[in-house]
Structure formats: structure tokens, C-alpha cells
């Protein structure tokens, strides 16, 4: 079964850091596909955060996280990461990873809470 599973969400102080992971199930070769990170805060629409192409040749970030977050992938571990630094309360959201191919698939999400 093709699945994406996020992990790494936690309660963190403002200014702190977290690394989120998006791991693919066996048989799902994540290295072949572009992956995006999205987030949805309570009462708000889901927004794109970052994306990475299959070759990692292109990376993109939302303005709100640019210079603070870094997306990367480890093909040996079949995992995509989102390193989040200098976290702000407004970063609080459920973070989900997404693959458009071979068919649209979302992870269930991991909760990031930034609060003092």
C-alpha cells in the first residue's frame, strides 16, 4: 500500500527548531517524485510551504518560511525532510506531505505547535 507518513511534530518554543520527516511506505519509491509540504492552521485554509523535485534540482518555499525552513530528501531512507528553524507562533499548524504522482496522495499530517 502506498502511504506517506509524517513525523517530527511537537510543541516547541518560539525561536526553536524542528525537523519534520515524510517517509514513504515500502514499494513507493519516493525518489521518483516531487514532494510538497503543506500546512493548515486552525480556522485557516491549507497553504503550500515548500516543495522539492524528484532530482532535488529545484526547491521552492512560501515567502513566510523562506530563509527559515529547508526542504531536503534522503533517497537511501526514502524520506523527505523539512527542517524548520526560527519557529514562530504563526507556524503552528498541521503539516502534511504530498505527492502528486503516481497519483495524488497525502500523509495524515503531524502537528507543530509553537508557543511559549
Amino acid at each position: 500500500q502506498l502511504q506517506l507518513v509524517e513525523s517530527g511534530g511537537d510543541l516547541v518554543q518560539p525561536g526553536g527548531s524542528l525537523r519534520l520527516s515524510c517517509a514513504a511506505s515500502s514499494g513507493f519509491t519516493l525518489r521518483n517524485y516531487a514532494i510538497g509540504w503543506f500546512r493548515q492552521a486552525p480556522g485557516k485554509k491549507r497553504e503550500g510551504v515548500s516543495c522539492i523535485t524528484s532530482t532535488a534540482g529545484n526547491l521552492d518555499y512560501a515567502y513566510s518560511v523562506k530563509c527559515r525552513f529547508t526542504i531536503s530528501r534522503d533517497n537511501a531512507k526514502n524520506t523527505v525532510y523539512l527542517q524548520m528553524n526560527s519557529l514562530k507562533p504563526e507556524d503552528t499548524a498541521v503539516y502534511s506531505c504530498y505527492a502528486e504522482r503516481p497519483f495524488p496522495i497525502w500523509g495524515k499530517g503531524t502537528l507543530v505547535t509553537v508557543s511559549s
Side-chain angles (χ1 to χ4, degrees):
Q1 184 176 12
L2 301 184
Q3 290 183 310
L4 297 175
V5 180
E6 304 93 338
S7 62
D10 206 348
L11 171 64
V12 64
Q13 298 292 314
S17 298
L18 287 173
R19 189 179 74 163
L20 305 184
S21 298
C22 174
S25 60
S26 298
F28 188 0
T29 306
L30 205 58
R31 67 184 297 171
N32 294 333
Y33 308 104
I35 299 295
W37 281 100
F38 294 77
R39 68 184 182 187
Q40 186 168 24
K44 296 185 178 180
K45 295 181 178 180
R46 183 162 57 192
E47 64 175 336
V49 175
S50 184
C51 58
I52 184 169
T53 57
S54 61
T55 63
N58 288 304
L59 313 174
D60 202 7
Y61 302 91
Y63 174 79
S64 61
V65 307
K66 193 172 184 178
C67 300
R68 297 190 297 120
F69 293 8
T70 302
I71 191 169
S72 63
R73 62 196 313 155
D74 186 335
N75 293 332
K77 296 182 178 180
N78 208 26
T79 301
V80 172
Y81 301 100
L82 185 68
Q83 177 67 46
M84 307 187 297
N85 299 323
S86 302
L87 283 162
K88 305 175 181 179
E90 50 263 46
D91 294 319
T92 296
V94 174
Y95 286 72
S96 302
C97 58
Y98 168 76
E100 187 173 38
R101 301 174 184 173
F103 51 83
I105 182 171
W106 292 88
K108 293 181 179 180
T110 185
L111 176 63
V112 172
T113 302
V114 185
S115 177
S116 59

